[in-house]
Structures are given as C-alpha cells and as structure tokens.
Amino acid sequence: MSFDIAETDEGRIWSPDGPLLIGADGHALPDAVDLSSTPVADALADLSGFRAPEFGDSLCFTLPPHDS
C-alpha cells in the first residue's frame, strides 16, 4: 500500500484518498480504497503533523497475508 502527498491550506500531508494497492503478484489492484474516515486517516494526519512530507518522499507499508 502506497500513499500520495496532497497540498492543503496547512501545507503538505499524506493523503488517505485512493492509496495505491499492489497485490502479492506485484500487480496494482484497480479498486481504490477510501480511507478518509478511518483510523488510517488519523494516523496519516498525526504523521503529517510530526513531519510534513516533501515531494519525492514515499510512504509504503506491507499488509501480511490474511487467510479467510
């Protein structure tokens, strides 16, 4: 999962809107996820407040596989 940087009136932030999702096979998953009203958005806001992103920065993380 990878997040974009957005410009706001308060400066640059990590945007929770439409993160890039890449499957285990390395291909991008076409359906964007809306994370704007989730704890992920809160964490991105806290991270942006701690250290605002600069263009060229990247924020990615890996979710472990989940068996259903």
Side-chain angles (χ1 to χ4, degrees):
M1 183 173 281
S2 178
F3 296 91
D4 287 331
I5 298 171
E7 287 278 351
T8 68
D9 293 340
E10 291 82 34
R12 294 184 185 110
I13 62 165
W14 291 110
S15 176
D17 299 329
L20 175 62
L21 302 174
I22 300 173
D25 62 0
H27 291 92
L29 303 174
D31 296 327
V33 176
D34 181 11
L35 299 174
S36 59
S37 297
T38 67
V40 172
D42 296 338
L44 290 173
D46 288 346
L47 184 58
S48 295
F50 174 71
R51 182 181 175 276
E54 297 292 329
F55 288 112
D57 288 350
S58 62
L59 176 62
C60 303
F61 64 89
T62 302
L63 301 173
H66 176 56
D67 293 328
S68 46

mmCIF file with all atom_site columns, all heavy atoms in Angstrom, residues 11-12 14-16 22 26 32-33 35 38 40-43 47-50 52 54 57 60 65-67:
data_model
loop_
_atom_site.group_PDB
_atom_site.id
_atom_site.type_symbol
_atom_site.label_atom_id
_atom_site.label_alt_id
_atom_site.label_comp_id
_atom_site.label_asym_id
_atom_site.label_entity_id
_atom_site.label_seq_id
_atom_site.pdbx_PDB_ins_code
_atom_site.Cartn_x
_atom_site.Cartn_y
_atom_site.Cartn_z
_atom_site.occupancy
_atom_site.B_iso_or_equiv
_atom_site.pdbx_formal_charge
_atom_site.auth_seq_id
_atom_site.auth_comp_id
_atom_site.auth_asym_id
_atom_site.auth_atom_id
_atom_site.pdbx_PDB_model_num
ATOM 1   N N   . GLY A 1 11 ? -0.487  23.070  4.306  1.00 0.00 ? 11 GLY A N   1
ATOM 2   C CA  . GLY A 1 11 ? 0.767   22.522  3.799  1.00 0.00 ? 11 GLY A CA  1
ATOM 3   C C   . GLY A 1 11 ? 0.569   21.136  3.226  1.00 0.00 ? 11 GLY A C   1
ATOM 4   O O   . GLY A 1 11 ? -0.542  20.717  2.927  1.00 0.00 ? 11 GLY A O   1
ATOM 5   N N   . ARG A 1 12 ? 1.655   20.404  3.088  1.00 0.00 ? 12 ARG A N   1
ATOM 6   C CA  . ARG A 1 12 ? 1.606   19.061  2.511  1.00 0.00 ? 12 ARG A CA  1
ATOM 7   C C   . ARG A 1 12 ? 1.216   18.034  3.573  1.00 0.00 ? 12 ARG A C   1
ATOM 8   O O   . ARG A 1 12 ? 1.649   18.129  4.720  1.00 0.00 ? 12 ARG A O   1
ATOM 9   C CB  . ARG A 1 12 ? 2.952   18.687  1.915  1.00 0.00 ? 12 ARG A CB  1
ATOM 10  C CG  . ARG A 1 12 ? 3.320   19.543  0.730  1.00 0.00 ? 12 ARG A CG  1
ATOM 11  C CD  . ARG A 1 12 ? 4.631   19.069  0.121  1.00 0.00 ? 12 ARG A CD  1
ATOM 12  N NE  . ARG A 1 12 ? 5.010   19.972  -0.935 1.00 0.00 ? 12 ARG A NE  1
ATOM 13  C CZ  . ARG A 1 12 ? 6.038   20.813  -0.875 1.00 0.00 ? 12 ARG A CZ  1
ATOM 14  N NH1 . ARG A 1 12 ? 6.810   20.820  0.181  1.00 0.00 ? 12 ARG A NH1 1
ATOM 15  N NH2 . ARG A 1 12 ? 6.299   21.609  -1.878 1.00 0.00 ? 12 ARG A NH2 1
ATOM 16  N N   . TRP A 1 14 ? 0.143   13.547  4.040  1.00 0.00 ? 14 TRP A N   1
ATOM 17  C CA  . TRP A 1 14 ? -0.032  12.218  3.437  1.00 0.00 ? 14 TRP A CA  1
ATOM 18  C C   . TRP A 1 14 ? -1.515  12.045  3.211  1.00 0.00 ? 14 TRP A C   1
ATOM 19  O O   . TRP A 1 14 ? -2.313  12.165  4.132  1.00 0.00 ? 14 TRP A O   1
ATOM 20  C CB  . TRP A 1 14 ? 0.498   11.129  4.369  1.00 0.00 ? 14 TRP A CB  1
ATOM 21  C CG  . TRP A 1 14 ? 1.984   11.154  4.501  1.00 0.00 ? 14 TRP A CG  1
ATOM 22  C CD1 . TRP A 1 14 ? 2.695   11.525  5.603  1.00 0.00 ? 14 TRP A CD1 1
ATOM 23  C CD2 . TRP A 1 14 ? 2.948   10.808  3.501  1.00 0.00 ? 14 TRP A CD2 1
ATOM 24  N NE1 . TRP A 1 14 ? 4.042   11.429  5.337  1.00 0.00 ? 14 TRP A NE1 1
ATOM 25  C CE2 . TRP A 1 14 ? 4.221   10.988  4.057  1.00 0.00 ? 14 TRP A CE2 1
ATOM 26  C CE3 . TRP A 1 14 ? 2.849   10.361  2.189  1.00 0.00 ? 14 TRP A CE3 1
ATOM 27  C CZ2 . TRP A 1 14 ? 5.386   10.737  3.357  1.00 0.00 ? 14 TRP A CZ2 1
ATOM 28  C CZ3 . TRP A 1 14 ? 4.017   10.112  1.491  1.00 0.00 ? 14 TRP A CZ3 1
ATOM 29  C CH2 . TRP A 1 14 ? 5.267   10.298  2.067  1.00 0.00 ? 14 TRP A CH2 1
ATOM 30  N N   . SER A 1 15 ? -1.910  11.782  1.994  1.00 0.00 ? 15 SER A N   1
ATOM 31  C CA  . SER A 1 15 ? -3.322  11.711  1.629  1.00 0.00 ? 15 SER A CA  1
ATOM 32  C C   . SER A 1 15 ? -3.879  10.296  1.822  1.00 0.00 ? 15 SER A C   1
ATOM 33  O O   . SER A 1 15 ? -3.330  9.335   1.286  1.00 0.00 ? 15 SER A O   1
ATOM 34  C CB  . SER A 1 15 ? -3.496  12.121  0.170  1.00 0.00 ? 15 SER A CB  1
ATOM 35  O OG  . SER A 1 15 ? -4.838  11.968  -0.213 1.00 0.00 ? 15 SER A OG  1
ATOM 36  N N   . PRO A 1 16 ? -5.014  10.187  2.561  1.00 0.00 ? 16 PRO A N   1
ATOM 37  C CA  . PRO A 1 16 ? -5.651  8.880   2.707  1.00 0.00 ? 16 PRO A CA  1
ATOM 38  C C   . PRO A 1 16 ? -6.530  8.516   1.510  1.00 0.00 ? 16 PRO A C   1
ATOM 39  O O   . PRO A 1 16 ? -7.081  7.423   1.453  1.00 0.00 ? 16 PRO A O   1
ATOM 40  C CB  . PRO A 1 16 ? -6.497  9.043   3.972  1.00 0.00 ? 16 PRO A CB  1
ATOM 41  C CG  . PRO A 1 16 ? -6.868  10.488  3.969  1.00 0.00 ? 16 PRO A CG  1
ATOM 42  C CD  . PRO A 1 16 ? -5.670  11.207  3.378  1.00 0.00 ? 16 PRO A CD  1
ATOM 43  N N   . ILE A 1 22 ? -1.068  -2.831  -4.178 1.00 0.00 ? 22 ILE A N   1
ATOM 44  C CA  . ILE A 1 22 ? -0.367  -3.770  -5.046 1.00 0.00 ? 22 ILE A CA  1
ATOM 45  C C   . ILE A 1 22 ? -0.527  -5.161  -4.449 1.00 0.00 ? 22 ILE A C   1
ATOM 46  O O   . ILE A 1 22 ? -0.216  -5.379  -3.273 1.00 0.00 ? 22 ILE A O   1
ATOM 47  C CB  . ILE A 1 22 ? 1.115   -3.392  -5.186 1.00 0.00 ? 22 ILE A CB  1
ATOM 48  C CG1 . ILE A 1 22 ? 1.223   -1.989  -5.794 1.00 0.00 ? 22 ILE A CG1 1
ATOM 49  C CG2 . ILE A 1 22 ? 1.858   -4.418  -6.027 1.00 0.00 ? 22 ILE A CG2 1
ATOM 50  C CD1 . ILE A 1 22 ? 2.612   -1.436  -5.839 1.00 0.00 ? 22 ILE A CD1 1
ATOM 51  N N   . GLY A 1 26 ? 2.392   -8.576  -7.469 1.00 0.00 ? 26 GLY A N   1
ATOM 52  C CA  . GLY A 1 26 ? 3.098   -7.404  -7.969 1.00 0.00 ? 26 GLY A CA  1
ATOM 53  C C   . GLY A 1 26 ? 2.283   -6.509  -8.881 1.00 0.00 ? 26 GLY A C   1
ATOM 54  O O   . GLY A 1 26 ? 2.783   -5.498  -9.353 1.00 0.00 ? 26 GLY A O   1
ATOM 55  N N   . ALA A 1 32 ? -9.695  1.534   -5.904 1.00 0.00 ? 32 ALA A N   1
ATOM 56  C CA  . ALA A 1 32 ? -9.132  2.376   -4.853 1.00 0.00 ? 32 ALA A CA  1
ATOM 57  C C   . ALA A 1 32 ? -9.946  2.197   -3.575 1.00 0.00 ? 32 ALA A C   1
ATOM 58  O O   . ALA A 1 32 ? -11.145 1.952   -3.609 1.00 0.00 ? 32 ALA A O   1
ATOM 59  C CB  . ALA A 1 32 ? -9.140  3.833   -5.283 1.00 0.00 ? 32 ALA A CB  1
ATOM 60  N N   . VAL A 1 33 ? -9.280  2.323   -2.463 1.00 0.00 ? 33 VAL A N   1
ATOM 61  C CA  . VAL A 1 33 ? -9.919  2.200   -1.159 1.00 0.00 ? 33 VAL A CA  1
ATOM 62  C C   . VAL A 1 33 ? -10.047 3.594   -0.563 1.00 0.00 ? 33 VAL A C   1
ATOM 63  O O   . VAL A 1 33 ? -9.097  4.367   -0.580 1.00 0.00 ? 33 VAL A O   1
ATOM 64  C CB  . VAL A 1 33 ? -9.063  1.303   -0.237 1.00 0.00 ? 33 VAL A CB  1
ATOM 65  C CG1 . VAL A 1 33 ? -9.645  1.241   1.154  1.00 0.00 ? 33 VAL A CG1 1
ATOM 66  C CG2 . VAL A 1 33 ? -8.920  -0.077  -0.831 1.00 0.00 ? 33 VAL A CG2 1
ATOM 67  N N   . LEU A 1 35 ? -10.030 5.605   2.542  1.00 0.00 ? 35 LEU A N   1
ATOM 68  C CA  . LEU A 1 35 ? -9.603  5.509   3.933  1.00 0.00 ? 35 LEU A CA  1
ATOM 69  C C   . LEU A 1 35 ? -9.811  6.821   4.689  1.00 0.00 ? 35 LEU A C   1
ATOM 70  O O   . LEU A 1 35 ? -9.328  6.981   5.795  1.00 0.00 ? 35 LEU A O   1
ATOM 71  C CB  . LEU A 1 35 ? -8.124  5.115   3.995  1.00 0.00 ? 35 LEU A CB  1
ATOM 72  C CG  . LEU A 1 35 ? -7.770  3.772   3.368  1.00 0.00 ? 35 LEU A CG  1
ATOM 73  C CD1 . LEU A 1 35 ? -6.265  3.579   3.362  1.00 0.00 ? 35 LEU A CD1 1
ATOM 74  C CD2 . LEU A 1 35 ? -8.455  2.643   4.100  1.00 0.00 ? 35 LEU A CD2 1
ATOM 75  N N   . THR A 1 38 ? -11.254 6.688   8.513  1.00 0.00 ? 38 THR A N   1
ATOM 76  C CA  . THR A 1 38 ? -10.783 5.506   9.241  1.00 0.00 ? 38 THR A CA  1
ATOM 77  C C   . THR A 1 38 ? -9.617  5.887   10.158 1.00 0.00 ? 38 THR A C   1
ATOM 78  O O   . THR A 1 38 ? -9.049  6.977   10.037 1.00 0.00 ? 38 THR A O   1
ATOM 79  C CB  . THR A 1 38 ? -10.294 4.433   8.256  1.00 0.00 ? 38 THR A CB  1
ATOM 80  O OG1 . THR A 1 38 ? -9.114  4.912   7.603  1.00 0.00 ? 38 THR A OG1 1
ATOM 81  C CG2 . THR A 1 38 ? -11.352 4.083   7.218  1.00 0.00 ? 38 THR A CG2 1
ATOM 82  N N   . VAL A 1 40 ? -6.756  4.873   9.837  1.00 0.00 ? 40 VAL A N   1
ATOM 83  C CA  . VAL A 1 40 ? -5.594  5.083   8.961  1.00 0.00 ? 40 VAL A CA  1
ATOM 84  C C   . VAL A 1 40 ? -5.456  6.568   8.641  1.00 0.00 ? 40 VAL A C   1
ATOM 85  O O   . VAL A 1 40 ? -4.349  7.118   8.680  1.00 0.00 ? 40 VAL A O   1
ATOM 86  C CB  . VAL A 1 40 ? -5.713  4.251   7.668  1.00 0.00 ? 40 VAL A CB  1
ATOM 87  C CG1 . VAL A 1 40 ? -4.613  4.612   6.682  1.00 0.00 ? 40 VAL A CG1 1
ATOM 88  C CG2 . VAL A 1 40 ? -5.684  2.765   7.984  1.00 0.00 ? 40 VAL A CG2 1
ATOM 89  N N   . ALA A 1 41 ? -6.567  7.251   8.351  1.00 0.00 ? 41 ALA A N   1
ATOM 90  C CA  . ALA A 1 41 ? -6.524  8.687   8.061  1.00 0.00 ? 41 ALA A CA  1
ATOM 91  C C   . ALA A 1 41 ? -6.027  9.466   9.276  1.00 0.00 ? 41 ALA A C   1
ATOM 92  O O   . ALA A 1 41 ? -5.243  10.412  9.137  1.00 0.00 ? 41 ALA A O   1
ATOM 93  C CB  . ALA A 1 41 ? -7.909  9.182   7.638  1.00 0.00 ? 41 ALA A CB  1
ATOM 94  N N   . ASP A 1 42 ? -6.458  9.055   10.469 1.00 0.00 ? 42 ASP A N   1
ATOM 95  C CA  . ASP A 1 42 ? -5.991  9.709   11.703 1.00 0.00 ? 42 ASP A CA  1
ATOM 96  C C   . ASP A 1 42 ? -4.484  9.531   11.870 1.00 0.00 ? 42 ASP A C   1
ATOM 97  O O   . ASP A 1 42 ? -3.772  10.472  12.232 1.00 0.00 ? 42 ASP A O   1
ATOM 98  C CB  . ASP A 1 42 ? -6.717  9.144   12.920 1.00 0.00 ? 42 ASP A CB  1
ATOM 99  C CG  . ASP A 1 42 ? -8.212  9.430   12.902 1.00 0.00 ? 42 ASP A CG  1
ATOM 100 O OD1 . ASP A 1 42 ? -8.640  10.386  12.212 1.00 0.00 ? 42 ASP A OD1 1
ATOM 101 O OD2 . ASP A 1 42 ? -8.951  8.677   13.571 1.00 0.00 ? 42 ASP A OD2 1
ATOM 102 N N   . ALA A 1 43 ? -4.002  8.315   11.602 1.00 0.00 ? 43 ALA A N   1
ATOM 103 C CA  . ALA A 1 43 ? -2.564  8.053   11.719 1.00 0.00 ? 43 ALA A CA  1
ATOM 104 C C   . ALA A 1 43 ? -1.765  8.856   10.694 1.00 0.00 ? 43 ALA A C   1
ATOM 105 O O   . ALA A 1 43 ? -0.699  9.396   11.011 1.00 0.00 ? 43 ALA A O   1
ATOM 106 C CB  . ALA A 1 43 ? -2.291  6.563   11.562 1.00 0.00 ? 43 ALA A CB  1
ATOM 107 N N   . LEU A 1 47 ? 1.086   11.612  11.507 1.00 0.00 ? 47 LEU A N   1
ATOM 108 C CA  . LEU A 1 47 ? 2.402   11.515  10.883 1.00 0.00 ? 47 LEU A CA  1
ATOM 109 C C   . LEU A 1 47 ? 2.738   12.804  10.131 1.00 0.00 ? 47 LEU A C   1
ATOM 110 O O   . LEU A 1 47 ? 3.856   13.308  10.222 1.00 0.00 ? 47 LEU A O   1
ATOM 111 C CB  . LEU A 1 47 ? 2.446   10.316  9.933  1.00 0.00 ? 47 LEU A CB  1
ATOM 112 C CG  . LEU A 1 47 ? 3.778   10.016  9.256  1.00 0.00 ? 47 LEU A CG  1
ATOM 113 C CD1 . LEU A 1 47 ? 4.865   9.775   10.298 1.00 0.00 ? 47 LEU A CD1 1
ATOM 114 C CD2 . LEU A 1 47 ? 3.642   8.825   8.340  1.00 0.00 ? 47 LEU A CD2 1
ATOM 115 N N   . SER A 1 48 ? 1.759   13.354  9.418  1.00 0.00 ? 48 SER A N   1
ATOM 116 C CA  . SER A 1 48 ? 1.978   14.605  8.684  1.00 0.00 ? 48 SER A CA  1
ATOM 117 C C   . SER A 1 48 ? 2.273   15.754  9.641  1.00 0.00 ? 48 SER A C   1
ATOM 118 O O   . SER A 1 48 ? 3.077   16.634  9.334  1.00 0.00 ? 48 SER A O   1
ATOM 119 C CB  . SER A 1 48 ? 0.752   14.948  7.837  1.00 0.00 ? 48 SER A CB  1
ATOM 120 O OG  . SER A 1 48 ? 0.555   13.983  6.825  1.00 0.00 ? 48 SER A OG  1
ATOM 121 N N   . GLY A 1 49 ? 1.605   15.749  10.811 1.00 0.00 ? 49 GLY A N   1
ATOM 122 C CA  . GLY A 1 49 ? 1.850   16.783  11.814 1.00 0.00 ? 49 GLY A CA  1
ATOM 123 C C   . GLY A 1 49 ? 3.216   16.657  12.453 1.00 0.00 ? 49 GLY A C   1
ATOM 124 O O   . GLY A 1 49 ? 3.847   17.654  12.817 1.00 0.00 ? 49 GLY A O   1
ATOM 125 N N   . PHE A 1 50 ? 3.699   15.428  12.591 1.00 0.00 ? 50 PHE A N   1
ATOM 126 C CA  . PHE A 1 50 ? 5.015   15.183  13.182 1.00 0.00 ? 50 PHE A CA  1
ATOM 127 C C   . PHE A 1 50 ? 6.112   15.622  12.223 1.00 0.00 ? 50 PHE A C   1
ATOM 128 O O   . PHE A 1 50 ? 7.065   16.295  12.598 1.00 0.00 ? 50 PHE A O   1
ATOM 129 C CB  . PHE A 1 50 ? 5.157   13.700  13.522 1.00 0.00 ? 50 PHE A CB  1
ATOM 130 C CG  . PHE A 1 50 ? 6.516   13.313  14.010 1.00 0.00 ? 50 PHE A CG  1
ATOM 131 C CD1 . PHE A 1 50 ? 6.953   13.701  15.260 1.00 0.00 ? 50 PHE A CD1 1
ATOM 132 C CD2 . PHE A 1 50 ? 7.360   12.558  13.214 1.00 0.00 ? 50 PHE A CD2 1
ATOM 133 C CE1 . PHE A 1 50 ? 8.213   13.348  15.718 1.00 0.00 ? 50 PHE A CE1 1
ATOM 134 C CE2 . PHE A 1 50 ? 8.620   12.194  13.658 1.00 0.00 ? 50 PHE A CE2 1
ATOM 135 C CZ  . PHE A 1 50 ? 9.041   12.589  14.913 1.00 0.00 ? 50 PHE A CZ  1
ATOM 136 N N   . ALA A 1 52 ? 6.002   16.859  8.107  1.00 0.00 ? 52 ALA A N   1
ATOM 137 C CA  . ALA A 1 52 ? 5.292   17.034  6.838  1.00 0.00 ? 52 ALA A CA  1
ATOM 138 C C   . ALA A 1 52 ? 6.094   16.403  5.704  1.00 0.00 ? 52 ALA A C   1
ATOM 139 O O   . ALA A 1 52 ? 7.320   16.532  5.657  1.00 0.00 ? 52 ALA A O   1
ATOM 140 C CB  . ALA A 1 52 ? 5.055   18.506  6.550  1.00 0.00 ? 52 ALA A CB  1
ATOM 141 N N   . GLU A 1 54 ? 7.686   15.792  2.021  1.00 0.00 ? 54 GLU A N   1
ATOM 142 C CA  . GLU A 1 54 ? 8.222   16.603  0.928  1.00 0.00 ? 54 GLU A CA  1
ATOM 143 C C   . GLU A 1 54 ? 8.022   15.810  -0.359 1.00 0.00 ? 54 GLU A C   1
ATOM 144 O O   . GLU A 1 54 ? 8.025   14.576  -0.344 1.00 0.00 ? 54 GLU A O   1
ATOM 145 C CB  . GLU A 1 54 ? 9.712   16.877  1.135  1.00 0.00 ? 54 GLU A CB  1
ATOM 146 C CG  . GLU A 1 54 ? 10.026  17.675  2.379  1.00 0.00 ? 54 GLU A CG  1
ATOM 147 C CD  . GLU A 1 54 ? 9.532   19.104  2.303  1.00 0.00 ? 54 GLU A CD  1
ATOM 148 O OE1 . GLU A 1 54 ? 9.495   19.664  1.189  1.00 0.00 ? 54 GLU A OE1 1
ATOM 149 O OE2 . GLU A 1 54 ? 9.191   19.663  3.358  1.00 0.00 ? 54 GLU A OE2 1
ATOM 150 N N   . ASP A 1 57 ? 9.297   12.125  -1.238 1.00 0.00 ? 57 ASP A N   1
ATOM 151 C CA  . ASP A 1 57 ? 9.178   11.173  -0.140 1.00 0.00 ? 57 ASP A CA  1
ATOM 152 C C   . ASP A 1 57 ? 8.226   10.056  -0.551 1.00 0.00 ? 57 ASP A C   1
ATOM 153 O O   . ASP A 1 57 ? 7.375   10.235  -1.422 1.00 0.00 ? 57 ASP A O   1
ATOM 154 C CB  . ASP A 1 57 ? 8.609   11.843  1.121  1.00 0.00 ? 57 ASP A CB  1
ATOM 155 C CG  . ASP A 1 57 ? 9.590   12.779  1.801  1.00 0.00 ? 57 ASP A CG  1
ATOM 156 O OD1 . ASP A 1 57 ? 10.770  12.783  1.429  1.00 0.00 ? 57 ASP A OD1 1
ATOM 157 O OD2 . ASP A 1 57 ? 9.154   13.517  2.707  1.00 0.00 ? 57 ASP A OD2 1
ATOM 158 N N   . CYS A 1 60 ? 5.078   3.746   2.267  1.00 0.00 ? 60 CYS A N   1
ATOM 159 C CA  . CYS A 1 60 ? 4.537   2.452   1.843  1.00 0.00 ? 60 CYS A CA  1
ATOM 160 C C   . CYS A 1 60 ? 4.577   1.508   3.036  1.00 0.00 ? 60 CYS A C   1
ATOM 161 O O   . CYS A 1 60 ? 5.441   1.615   3.890  1.00 0.00 ? 60 CYS A O   1
ATOM 162 C CB  . CYS A 1 60 ? 5.386   1.845   0.734  1.00 0.00 ? 60 CYS A CB  1
ATOM 163 S SG  . CYS A 1 60 ? 5.581   2.880   -0.705 1.00 0.00 ? 60 CYS A SG  1
ATOM 164 N N   . PRO A 1 65 ? -0.332  -11.435 4.646  1.00 0.00 ? 65 PRO A N   1
ATOM 165 C CA  . PRO A 1 65 ? -1.420  -12.198 4.027  1.00 0.00 ? 65 PRO A CA  1
ATOM 166 C C   . PRO A 1 65 ? -2.449  -12.591 5.086  1.00 0.00 ? 65 PRO A C   1
ATOM 167 O O   . PRO A 1 65 ? -2.117  -12.821 6.243  1.00 0.00 ? 65 PRO A O   1
ATOM 168 C CB  . PRO A 1 65 ? -0.729  -13.440 3.469  1.00 0.00 ? 65 PRO A CB  1
ATOM 169 C CG  . PRO A 1 65 ? 0.726   -13.133 3.459  1.00 0.00 ? 65 PRO A CG  1
ATOM 170 C CD  . PRO A 1 65 ? 0.963   -12.075 4.485  1.00 0.00 ? 65 PRO A CD  1
ATOM 171 N N   . HIS A 1 66 ? -3.692  -12.642 4.664  1.00 0.00 ? 66 HIS A N   1
ATOM 172 C CA  . HIS A 1 66 ? -4.773  -12.996 5.583  1.00 0.00 ? 66 HIS A CA  1
ATOM 173 C C   . HIS A 1 66 ? -5.567  -14.144 4.979  1.00 0.00 ? 66 HIS A C   1
ATOM 174 O O   . HIS A 1 66 ? -6.106  -14.029 3.883  1.00 0.00 ? 66 HIS A O   1
ATOM 175 C CB  . HIS A 1 66 ? -5.693  -11.797 5.804  1.00 0.00 ? 66 HIS A CB  1
ATOM 176 C CG  . HIS A 1 66 ? -6.877  -12.093 6.650  1.00 0.00 ? 66 HIS A CG  1
ATOM 177 N ND1 . HIS A 1 66 ? -6.779  -12.616 7.907  1.00 0.00 ? 66 HIS A ND1 1
ATOM 178 C CD2 . HIS A 1 66 ? -8.194  -11.934 6.419  1.00 0.00 ? 66 HIS A CD2 1
ATOM 179 C CE1 . HIS A 1 66 ? -7.987  -12.767 8.413  1.00 0.00 ? 66 HIS A CE1 1
ATOM 180 N NE2 . HIS A 1 66 ? -8.863  -12.367 7.528  1.00 0.00 ? 66 HIS A NE2 1
ATOM 181 N N   . ASP A 1 67 ? -5.598  -15.247 5.687  1.00 0.00 ? 67 ASP A N   1
ATOM 182 C CA  . ASP A 1 67 ? -6.386  -16.400 5.244  1.00 0.00 ? 67 ASP A CA  1
ATOM 183 C C   . ASP A 1 67 ? -7.806  -16.231 5.751  1.00 0.00 ? 67 ASP A C   1
ATOM 184 O O   . ASP A 1 67 ? -8.024  -15.939 6.920  1.00 0.00 ? 67 ASP A O   1
ATOM 185 C CB  . ASP A 1 67 ? -5.815  -17.704 5.788  1.00 0.00 ? 67 ASP A CB  1
ATOM 186 C CG  . ASP A 1 67 ? -4.452  -18.009 5.198  1.00 0.00 ? 67 ASP A CG  1
ATOM 187 O OD1 . ASP A 1 67 ? -4.219  -17.635 4.036  1.00 0.00 ? 67 ASP A OD1 1
ATOM 188 O OD2 . ASP A 1 67 ? -3.621  -18.605 5.913  1.00 0.00 ? 67 ASP A OD2 1
#
